[in-house]
Amino acid sequence: MNFRQDELTVQVAHSAREFAHQHIKPQLMEWDESQEFPVAVFKALGKLGMMGVLVPEQYGGTGLGYFEYSAIIQEIAKVCGSVGLSVAAHNSLCTGHILSFGTEAQKQAYLPKLATAEWIGAWGLTEPNTGSDAGNMKTVAVKDGDDWLINGTKSWITHGKSGDVAVVICRTGEPRAKNNSTAFIVERGTKGFSAGKKENKLGMRASETAEMIFDNCRIPDANRLGQVGDGFKQAMKILDGGRISIAALSLGIAKGAYEASVKYAKERQQFDQPIANFQGISFKLADMATKIECAELLINQACDLKMKGLPMTKEAAMAKYYASEISVEISTDAVQIFGGYGYTKDFPVEKFYRDSKLCTIGEGTSEIQKLVISREVLK
């Protein structure tokens, strides 16, 4: 397999890198401290086509592939994991779900607004008491004539407060029954749909995470995505692509921490020489570089299979699992290399350290990835 970046991917990565340094880096710590969700940044990314990367041009997107998509997320995450996370969630979850399972009318209605970031998208599966146990969700949709009534609460939702439209997976059958959930599109402003608690997080603080509350929220059957009962199966397919997103996000954070560490190790003097000359530091950098190369190869393999339309559940889970874990390891070593300075907000690695941990939890924990992988290899 030849994963050498083509000219288009290089150009796209360069554009994302330039944008991140010009429009994100100057204010990232201000957003982190205040937990501000910088909507204007995403509107600007929308104008560059980076909020509808995988959406075909006929629906207002850029019609690019997963290699370009991965490159964009990595370059943004090298500067700010929070913005990278929101770009990933918007592209792969809400937008990706409508693109994959929407009717032509639904695609025409929502994709142009999402692809340009006129609207920000949210995606709701997780609940207060059901994370991995999605078959036992409490948010219920009941058919009422030509409409559906939704009641329940979704938690840990990216853009749960500021999102203009959400794809919500609701239980439409008995708990734990087969094919017991259905996906729906719900627009902000719909009566009975409101935002709840916004989470005060360790990291990824500028990526909004909040509850979505449904209280007799009435939506037409035209807002149903696919067949009744197909919600969970749809969600699993969406999460396959989402794992590539989080793997790319993890890798971007790891690269940011690594590059900062190399620069600092060359500049920081101890005993009249750069600390990079000491084996204790140089070996850490060698481990970082090796882990990054391994993660990148796993991600590229998953992207390659996805673009070819081949099965990639195992490969995407491997990429997400490995990249997220080494992101934590590399950012931890980065703080160690920086020493006391690494523990302060005056240097970038403490933020990489805080942001990296979510990657091992969101869109399926490392333990869930191991479950997916083990099931695939034991088939």
Side-chain angles (χ1 to χ4, degrees):
M1 291 179 281
N2 178 16
F3 295 139
R4 179 176 291 179
Q5 287 189 334
D6 60 24
E7 186 177 347
L8 176 60
T9 307
V10 171
Q11 289 176 349
V12 166
H14 177 76
S15 295
R17 188 182 313 123
E18 289 289 303
F19 182 92
H21 282 274
Q22 291 179 22
H23 302 287
I24 299 173
K25 191 173 183 178
Q27 291 179 273
L28 66 88
M29 290 310 295
E30 178 185 331
W31 297 331
D32 184 78
E33 291 285 345
S34 65
Q35 293 201 89
E36 178 185 347
F37 178 58
V39 176
V41 166
F42 300 100
K43 302 290 186 183
L45 283 166
K47 291 180 180 178
L48 292 176
M50 295 184 188
M51 297 294 276
V53 182
L54 303 169
V55 176
E57 292 181 24
Q58 70 189 89
Y59 301 118
T62 47
L64 299 176
Y66 268 81
F67 287 103
E68 290 77 28
Y69 176 48
S70 173
I72 288 168
I73 295 174
Q74 285 181 52
E75 291 297 338
I76 292 173
K78 280 167 67 174
V79 173
C80 179
S82 295
V83 177
L85 172 61
S86 281
V87 170
H90 174 93
N91 272 282
S92 70
L93 298 180
C94 180
T95 306
H97 201 134
I98 296 172
L99 177 62
S100 296
F101 298 105
T103 63
E104 184 60 28
Q106 289 168 340
K107 292 176 183 178
Q108 293 285 356
Y110 294 106
L111 290 180
K113 292 179 179 179
L114 288 165
T116 57
E118 177 185 345
W119 281 12
I120 301 295
W123 191 78
L125 177 64
T126 304
E127 298 184 0
N129 295 309
T130 57
S132 304
D133 185 16
N136 197 33
M137 67 178 70
K138 300 295 189 291
T139 300
V140 175
V142 177
K143 192 77 185 297
D144 184 33
D146 292 331
D147 297 333
W148 292 85
L149 280 177
I150 302 176
N151 283 282
T153 299
K154 295 293 182 180
S155 62
W156 297 99
I157 307 305
T158 304
H159 315 144
K161 183 177 181 181
S162 297
D164 299 286
V165 62
V167 171
V168 186
I169 292 87
C170 306
R171 183 162 57 79
T172 49
E174 293 301 314
R176 303 198 186 285
K178 190 175 181 181
N179 302 326
N180 72 343
S181 63
T182 306
F184 300 91
I185 302 170
V186 187
E187 295 181 25
R188 186 72 62 183
T190 302
K191 186 178 179 181
F193 175 28
S194 62
K197 175 188 175 185
K198 180 179 176 179
E199 301 296 339
N200 185 8
K201 307 194 299 291
L202 169 71
M204 303 290 195
R205 289 169 60 82
S207 178
E208 178 187 277
T209 306
E211 291 179 325
M212 296 193 302
I213 299 171
F214 302 90
D215 182 10
N216 285 325
C217 178
R218 182 180 293 274
I219 60 168
D221 188 57
N223 284 35
R224 172 171 46 84
L225 279 160
Q227 299 300 311
V228 173
D230 282 353
F232 186 72
K233 288 188 286 188
Q234 292 177 7
M236 293 304 99
K237 290 178 181 177
I238 294 302
L239 287 173
D240 271 352
R243 287 173 185 139
I244 294 176
S245 299
I246 302 303
L249 175 70
S250 304
L251 181 57
I253 292 170
K255 285 182 175 180
Y258 166 72
E259 290 174 8
S261 297
V262 170
K263 183 174 183 294
Y264 184 80
K266 289 179 177 179
E267 295 173 352
R268 172 69 168 168
Q269 295 273 330
Q270 290 288 277
F271 303 101
D272 303 318
Q273 59 184 308
I275 63 171
N277 289 352
F278 300 119
Q279 197 173 78
I281 301 299
S282 65
F283 278 17
K284 283 187 186 299
L285 296 173
D287 283 339
M288 288 176 168
T290 303
K291 290 171 183 176
I292 283 171
E293 289 288 332
C294 291
E296 192 147 33
L297 286 168
L298 283 170
I299 293 167
N300 284 340
Q301 176 180 238
C303 288
D304 184 58
L305 292 170
K306 181 72 174 176
M307 292 303 298
K308 291 175 178 175
L310 298 172
M312 40 71 78
T313 297
K314 179 187 72 175
E315 289 77 11
M318 284 179 168
K320 196 273 187 187
Y321 166 52
Y322 184 77
S324 64
E325 290 292 338
I326 65 101
S327 184
V328 174
E329 293 169 10
I330 288 172
S331 59
T332 300
D333 281 344
V335 171
Q336 198 70 17
I337 289 170
F338 274 73
Y341 291 117
Y343 204 64
T344 71
K345 294 183 183 293
D346 295 328
F347 289 80
V349 291
E350 68 85 30
K351 185 175 183 297
F352 290 127
Y353 179 69
R354 289 185 290 111
D355 287 349
S356 66
K357 187 56 194 169
L358 183 64
C359 298
T360 69
I361 300 169
E363 294 196 35
T365 63
S366 292
E367 290 72 25
I368 289 295
Q369 304 312 315
K370 289 181 185 179
L371 184 63
V372 172
I373 295 163
S374 62
R375 283 177 176 172
E376 290 293 315
V377 300
L378 292 170
K379 278 184 178 179

